[in-house]
Amino acid sequence: MGNVTLDADEIVRKSYGIVEKYVRGETLEEKVIQRCIIATGDPNVKDLIVFKGNAVEAGILAVLENTTVVCDVNMVSAGINRRRFRGDVFVAVKHGNDTRLTRAMCGMYALREKVDGGIAIVGNAPSAAIALYNLVQEGVRPKFIIATPVGFVNASESKEMIRELDIPSITTAGTRGGSTLAVAVFNALVNLAYERPS
């Protein structure tokens, strides 16, 4: 987590002690879910997270390779643990300039060469997840996808589209999600990558 002081370490220790009552943390997937519960303060998050393919292992490997990240919004970029993750991070909304599309969708298309072979993270915009789906259909191959867009318009459907792809992914079911969850998933993978013996 973001702890850098003794007090913060104690808070983290207590938080995980509480969360273990809901999810034991015995598997890599459970460790990711624990991080999501702590980030949201909501134990019910455990029922939302969907792992597709060998998602956690694929994510850890991509992190260890310092794979380029393409995310949809600034909030995701701001939350990434840069003390540990050394890869480049590109934000789709900064590259979207087509007035016919959302900035997140347009930016994903503009960054297709970065998405190809990269890590794709969608925390907020369903349109960015739809763009990812379309890019994969066109032959673009991200190593790993995190998709947790939130809302009532296309959020649930866009995540179902991501789960249809033959790309390892971690998504949320239904309308719930958000950038906080996307960052929690990614930072959990970063921590797992660097805590495991080499």
Side-chain angles (χ1 to χ4, degrees):
M1 297 180 71
N3 49 312
V4 294
T5 66
L6 292 176
D7 282 348
D9 283 339
E10 179 65 9
I11 291 168
V12 169
R13 187 188 66 76
K14 287 182 177 178
S15 294
Y16 276 99
I18 293 167
V19 169
E20 283 174 0
K21 297 174 184 176
Y22 303 102
V23 178
R24 294 183 62 85
E26 294 176 345
T27 67
L28 295 177
E29 288 79 9
E30 286 184 348
K31 290 182 185 298
V32 172
I33 292 170
Q34 283 184 330
R35 182 66 180 263
C36 292
I37 292 172
I38 290 171
T40 60
D42 182 4
N44 293 322
V45 164
K46 66 183 174 59
D47 300 320
L48 299 180
I49 310 298
V50 181
F51 299 89
K52 167 80 184 289
N54 198 16
V56 176
E57 290 288 352
I60 288 171
L61 180 59
V63 166
L64 288 172
E65 293 173 343
N66 292 321
T67 302
T68 295
V69 166
V70 177
C71 59
D72 59 338
V73 294
N74 291 313
M75 188 177 291
V76 173
S77 176
I80 290 174
N81 182 349
R82 299 297 180 90
R83 294 195 312 273
R84 285 188 154 179
F85 180 67
R86 304 298 185 191
D88 293 327
V89 179
F90 294 86
V91 181
V93 294
K94 293 182 178 179
H95 296 266
N97 55 14
D98 186 332
T99 57
R100 297 168 300 172
L101 305 172
T102 69
R103 286 195 304 150
M105 176 177 262
C106 179
M108 278 290 174
Y109 288 140
L111 291 167
R112 66 182 296 143
E113 292 183 4
K114 305 294 184 185
V115 174
D116 196 19
I119 298 170
I121 307 176
V122 178
N124 184 72
S127 62
I130 293 169
L132 272 177
Y133 175 86
N134 292 338
L135 286 171
V136 173
Q137 295 299 100
E138 294 170 8
V140 172
R141 301 291 300 178
K143 291 181 180 177
F144 173 69
I145 297 172
I146 297 169
T148 63
V150 61
F152 297 103
V153 179
N154 291 330
S156 180
E157 295 84 352
S158 69
K159 290 177 286 191
E160 289 175 7
M161 292 168 71
I162 295 298
R163 289 190 288 272
E164 290 174 8
L165 302 172
D166 63 342
I167 305 285
S169 65
I170 301 176
T171 58
T172 51
T175 58
R176 295 175 64 189
S179 296
T180 298
L181 271 175
V183 169
V185 170
F186 185 72
N187 284 340
L189 297 173
V190 171
N191 285 348
L192 289 169
Y194 290 106
E195 288 168 3
R196 298 202 310 178
S198 56

